[in-house]
């Protein structure tokens, strides 16, 4: 699961990875094109050989995350042999993106959404809708007595919030966090079997 989002052998991908790090660390609004260029060792003017604007960089980072998350979740669900494995896939993909190699870009997607123009937000909403539709389908198939879309919003919000408190180097590893989230989901939102 989760191929690298950015190929270090491609200049544009190195630029996007550097921008994701800076946007996550400093915030999109205060990060300058000059800082992004310096991060990859090029002058800010040369940066525009790869992109037209700082917003285009932000959009490209977010689009890469949404596309990859949708592909990875689709693949994991296709391999899952039963309902519990499909529920585990929902949680594992989300947490892997939040805390794995794509953590910078994923945090940017979750927290810098409003920095995009309405037109670019609309483009990304299609990918997000497809991703959320997979969640809704799995939760409905699991037999939750709750509205699957509402349950998905609760879960998605709780998992996204781990970006503020969870530390992979702490006592609980990512597998343990996945197990805790699955137990919470099974105990609180699904019929006991």
């Amino acid at each position: 699961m989760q191929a690298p989002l950015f190929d270090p052998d491609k200049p544009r991908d190195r630029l996007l990875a550097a921008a994701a790090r800076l946007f996550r660390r400093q915030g999109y609004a205060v990060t300058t094109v000059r800082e992004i260029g310096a991060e990859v060792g090029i002058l800010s003017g040369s940066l525009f050989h790869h992109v037209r604007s700082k917003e285009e960089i932000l959009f490209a980072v977010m689009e890469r995350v949404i596309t990859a998350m949708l592909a990875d979740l689709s693949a994991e669900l296709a391999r899952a042999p039963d309902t519990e494995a499909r529920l585990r896939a929902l949680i594992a993909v989300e947490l892997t993106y939040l805390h794995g190699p794509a953590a910078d870009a994923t945090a940017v997607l979750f927290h810098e959404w409003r920095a995009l123009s309405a037109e670019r937000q609309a483009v990304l909403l299609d990918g997000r809708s497809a991703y959320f539709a997979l969640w809704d389908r799995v939760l409905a198939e699991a037999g939750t007595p709750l509205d699957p879309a509402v349950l998905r919003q609760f879960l998605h919000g709780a998992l996204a919030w781990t970006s503020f408190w969870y530390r992979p180097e702490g006592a609980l590893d990512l597998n343990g966090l996945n197990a805790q989230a699955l137990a919470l989901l099974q105990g609180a939102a699904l019929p006991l079997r």
Side-chain angles (χ1 to χ4, degrees), residues 1-2 68-80 89 93 134:
M1 182 170 40
Q2 193 186 41
M69 285 181 81
L70 178 59
D72 281 352
L73 183 56
S74 296
E76 289 298 313
L77 291 175
R79 283 191 288 272
V93 167
L134 294 175

Side-chain angles (χ1 to χ4, degrees), residues 125-141:
L125 287 174
D126 287 340
R128 186 180 76 170
S129 293
Y131 179 76
F132 283 167
L134 294 175
W135 274 74
D136 293 349
R137 188 188 80 222
V138 170
L139 293 172
E141 289 170 358

Side-chain angles (χ1 to χ4, degrees), residues 132-186:
F132 283 167
L134 294 175
W135 274 74
D136 293 349
R137 188 188 80 222
V138 170
L139 293 172
E141 289 170 358
T144 178
L146 305 174
D147 178 335
V150 172
L151 178 56
R152 182 233 324 134
Q153 288 289 60
F154 279 124
L155 291 170
H156 181 71
L159 295 173
W161 195 255
T162 65
S163 66
F164 290 104
W165 62 265
Y166 175 70
R167 298 292 168 254
E169 67 279 356
L172 185 64
D173 67 7
L174 197 54
N175 288 332
L177 185 62
N178 282 320
Q180 293 285 317
L182 181 62
L184 177 67
L185 172 60
Q186 291 174 315

Side-chain angles (χ1 to χ4, degrees), residues 20-32 35 112:
R21 279 191 307 277
L22 289 170
F23 293 160
R24 182 180 190 188
R25 189 178 335 140
Q26 304 175 175
Y28 171 77
V30 300
T31 300
T32 66
E35 289 172 311
E112 296 288 355

Side-chain angles (χ1 to χ4, degrees), residues 49-130:
H49 172 72
H50 303 283
V51 294
R52 287 186 206 86
S53 67
K54 187 171 90 166
E55 186 190 10
E56 183 180 312
I57 296 169
L58 179 65
F59 175 76
V61 167
M62 292 180 170
E63 184 178 44
R64 188 79 59 100
V65 175
I66 287 177
T67 301
M69 285 181 81
L70 178 59
D72 281 352
L73 183 56
S74 296
E76 289 298 313
L77 291 175
R79 283 191 288 272
D82 55 32
T83 300
E84 185 172 323
R86 284 188 287 281
L87 293 170
R88 190 177 302 111
L90 295 178
I91 293 165
V93 167
E94 190 95 359
L95 289 175
T96 298
Y97 272 83
L98 281 163
H99 302 291
D104 289 334
T106 305
V108 169
L109 171 66
F110 284 9
H111 303 296
E112 296 288 355
W113 184 259
R114 287 187 173 87
L116 288 175
S117 66
E119 295 81 22
R120 285 191 163 140
Q121 285 181 12
V123 170
L124 295 180
L125 287 174
D126 287 340
R128 186 180 76 170
S129 293

